Amino acid sequence: MHRAVFPGSFDPLTLGHQDIIERALPHFDEIVIAVGTNIDKQYMFSIEKRTSFIEKTFKDCPKVVIKTYQGMTVEFCKKIKGSVIIRGLRNPADFEFEKSVAQINRKLSGIDTLFLLTDLSTSYISSSMVRDIILNGGDYTLLVPKEVRISKL
């Protein structure tokens, strides 16, 4: 089985995340959406809520599996037999950061990273921007899947 891992905090899931997942699906037998937790990070949404957003968004897609993890992404990939890590790139700054992480991950584990450029229509969206809009009472609904919009925030 050719299993890919798309790691992130997904706090919350955005249309950009959804786009990357949907575009990657034809290339793999399974995509594991790996919802990470970091004890040093403050999240707006609980791990259960973040996972729920993803489950609802991809409920009709049997190739999408949602798992949670802590620690190094490459160790999680090895544990579940993930053969590649998927990352979305919005801009050159994303590339520079993600390139270094991908090189370290490959050196540590031999696991490659597949970069997908975000669609032009979602390239400006980030979870941190969505959180800021929510915190300030703005209209975030054009930036997230409908399953995130209908959930009580």
Side-chain angles (χ1 to χ4, degrees):
M1 172 179 281
H2 200 196
R3 177 179 290 131
V5 176
F6 185 37
S9 61
F10 305 102
D11 187 32
L13 181 72
T14 69
L15 291 176
H17 295 129
Q18 183 180 17
D19 172 63
I20 294 295
I21 295 163
E22 289 174 350
R23 289 178 32 230
L25 276 169
H27 304 284
F28 300 97
D29 299 318
E30 182 178 271
I31 295 180
V32 176
I33 310 303
V35 184
T37 57
N38 180 336
I39 58 171
D40 295 328
K41 199 169 178 183
Q42 193 87 339
Y43 296 104
M44 176 176 271
F45 300 100
S46 69
I47 189 81
E48 295 81 13
K49 193 71 162 169
R50 291 182 279 146
T51 302
S52 173
F53 290 152
I54 300 165
E55 287 170 349
K56 289 175 183 173
T57 301
F58 292 98
K59 68 181 177 306
D60 296 324
C61 189
K63 289 173 62 171
V64 171
V65 174
I66 299 107
K67 294 187 181 286
T68 61
Y69 78 104
Q70 286 185 319
M72 292 178 54
T73 300
V74 290
E75 292 304 317
F76 175 75
C77 290
K78 286 193 250 180
K79 179 180 171 185
I80 66 160
K81 297 181 174 53
S83 58
V84 67
I85 296 169
I86 299 171
R87 298 300 293 162
L89 299 176
R90 294 172 300 184
N91 54 49
D94 281 356
F95 173 73
E96 288 303 321
F97 174 76
E98 294 291 349
K99 176 182 78 168
S100 297
V101 174
Q103 290 170 329
I104 289 171
N105 285 343
R106 189 160 191 271
K107 181 75 169 175
L108 293 175
S109 68
I111 297 172
D112 276 318
T113 301
L114 172 69
F115 295 114
L116 293 176
L117 297 178
T118 56
D119 188 88
L120 190 58
S121 67
T122 62
S123 63
Y124 61 93
I125 302 171
S126 71
S127 290
S128 59
M129 286 185 198
V130 172
R131 288 191 307 272
D132 192 46
I133 292 167
I134 292 168
L135 284 171
N136 288 291
D139 182 7
Y140 66 95
T141 60
L142 296 175
L143 308 174
V144 298
K146 68 179 186 317
E147 293 79 7
V148 176
R149 285 180 264 166
I150 60 171
S151 297
K152 292 189 192 246
L153 300 177

